[in-house]
């Protein structure tokens, strides 16, 4: 029914499949490791506000003394704008890491990028 060549070819396909799975798993672990420590920062246009974010949210907010001279509403708006800028930088970094490890078009890449997009990061 099967000759030796057919079995050898089948074994090679199974070995290639297994090697591909192991490679993709290693890439996914690398991506997860890189994303865990990923942060991004942004400063307001006037440099009075600096925000740092990671995947879970804002990790640092720095306000320079000059911020006291502004109305509270203006400060609040500037903080929100700076948070959005930091999140956009984080999204760019996540995309770059994803492309470098698993590929943005891979199933894993699409899932990771989709999760970040859903968080509005």
């Amino acid at each position: 029914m099967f000759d030796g060549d057919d079995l050898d070819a089948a074994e090679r396909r199974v070995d290639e499949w297994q090697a591909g799975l192991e490679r993709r798993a290693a890439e996914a672990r690398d991506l997860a490791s890189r994303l865990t420590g990923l942060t991004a920062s942004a400063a307001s246009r006037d440099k009075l506000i600096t925000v740092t974010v990671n995947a879970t949210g804002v990790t640092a907010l720095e306000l320079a003394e000059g911020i006291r001279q502004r109305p509270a509403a203006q400060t609040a708006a500037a903080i929100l704008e700076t948070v959005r800028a930091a999140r956009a930088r984080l999204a760019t970094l996540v995309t770059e890491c994803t492309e470098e490890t698993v590929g943005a078009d891979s199933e894993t890449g699409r899932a990771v990028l989709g999760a970040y997009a859903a968080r509005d990061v």
Side-chain angles (χ1 to χ4, degrees), residues 6 15 26 29-31 35 48 50 52 62 67 70 86 88 113:
D6 289 340
D15 289 344
R29 284 190 299 274
D30 182 32
L31 176 60
L35 293 180
L48 294 177
T50 303
T52 302
E62 298 173 25
I67 205 78
R70 295 172 135 185
L113 295 176

Side-chain angles (χ1 to χ4, degrees), residues 4-102:
D5 289 339
D6 289 340
L7 290 177
D8 288 342
E11 282 183 20
R12 278 193 304 278
R13 281 193 296 274
V14 168
D15 289 344
E16 290 169 1
W17 179 72
Q18 181 177 356
L21 284 177
E22 290 170 357
R23 179 183 47 76
R24 286 190 297 279
E27 290 169 346
R29 284 190 299 274
D30 182 32
L31 176 60
S33 174
R34 291 174 68 176
L35 293 180
T36 297
L38 203 57
T39 63
S41 296
S44 61
R45 294 175 195 174
D46 58 11
K47 308 295 186 225
L48 294 177
I49 301 165
T50 303
V51 175
T52 302
V53 298
N54 67 12
T56 60
V58 174
T59 60
L61 171 63
E62 298 173 25
L63 303 175
E65 286 300 319
I67 205 78
R68 294 174 187 238
Q69 308 307 316
R70 295 172 135 185
Q74 186 180 2
T75 299
I79 289 171
L80 292 176
E81 179 182 335
T82 308
V83 167
R84 284 190 292 275
R87 285 181 173 175
R89 286 195 178 133
L90 182 63
T92 298
L93 294 173
V94 168
T95 300
E96 290 171 0
C97 284
T98 302
E99 289 172 349
E100 292 169 4
T101 54
V102 299

